[in-house]
Amino acid sequence: MSILEDLTSGDSQRIWQGACAIRQLHDRDELMRLAGHLAQIRDSTRGIALGGTFHPNASHLAFAIGKLEFVKDGRGCLCALYERDHFYNPVDEEKNGRIRILGTTFVSGPYVDFYDCECVTCGARYRVIERDYHYTWWGWARVSSGP
């Protein structure tokens, strides 16, 4: 099944899965293709309760729609979206070749306070705090633009 099929299925679990897939998608051509269906996605998901215990699943859909709008409008490097979401793990982003971790500062023992990171596409730098409560989350803040 495709991401678009998931998002337009009317099934809350599939909508959530499609929204999470968009969060991880960095292929601009595929994102543009999906952005061409924004009206259909909005219509198909309107009024569907998406649940969520500790964090409302509707926020995943809102982020996915925002990401598609961002790409459709050509607003710049996808790294700018890191500041809008708490689910971008800098370690995973580095493994996927999207950023470089320039340094890690620990609070005590193995507990991370923050990472200093750089986007490999545009060179923007971020300070990324790592925190947890019911789940681990990351707060991205741009500290400088690229070169």
Side-chain angles (χ1 to χ4, degrees):
M1 300 218 189
S2 72
I3 293 172
L4 182 59
E5 289 172 331
D6 284 341
L7 290 170
T8 58
S9 69
D11 177 87
S12 62
Q13 182 67 26
R14 288 183 61 196
I15 293 168
W16 174 76
Q17 289 172 334
C20 291
I22 287 175
R23 174 179 285 105
Q24 297 307 315
L25 185 61
H26 279 72
D27 180 314
R28 280 197 179 264
D29 291 337
E30 180 64 10
L31 287 166
M32 282 297 287
R33 188 187 71 71
L34 287 165
H37 297 278
L38 273 165
Q40 180 186 5
I41 292 166
R42 283 189 185 99
D43 289 344
S44 298
T45 57
R46 185 167 301 139
I48 296 178
L50 300 178
T53 304
F54 298 114
H55 186 82
N57 289 337
S59 70
H60 299 289
L61 177 60
F63 178 81
I65 288 171
K67 183 173 182 175
L68 295 177
E69 290 169 342
F70 181 91
V71 170
K72 183 179 179 185
D73 295 344
R75 291 191 232 159
C77 186
L78 291 174
C79 77
L81 297 171
Y82 290 149
E83 293 179 286
R84 297 183 185 182
D85 193 65
H86 292 297
F87 293 100
Y88 281 111
N89 178 340
V91 174
D92 291 343
E93 291 301 291
E94 183 177 55
K95 285 178 187 171
N96 289 319
R98 298 179 188 128
I99 63 144
R100 277 187 290 278
I101 296 175
L102 305 173
T104 305
T105 301
F106 295 90
V107 177
S108 63
Y111 302 105
V112 172
D113 187 17
F114 62 86
Y115 301 91
D116 287 313
C117 302
E118 179 179 62
C119 175
V120 300
T121 303
C122 72
R125 292 197 172 185
Y126 293 87
R127 173 146 297 166
V128 186
I129 62 168
E130 180 176 293
R131 299 292 183 265
D132 60 64
Y133 186 56
H134 292 292
Y135 54 86
T136 303
W137 61 271
W138 298 270
W140 293 71
R142 186 181 293 237
V143 293
S144 72
S145 298

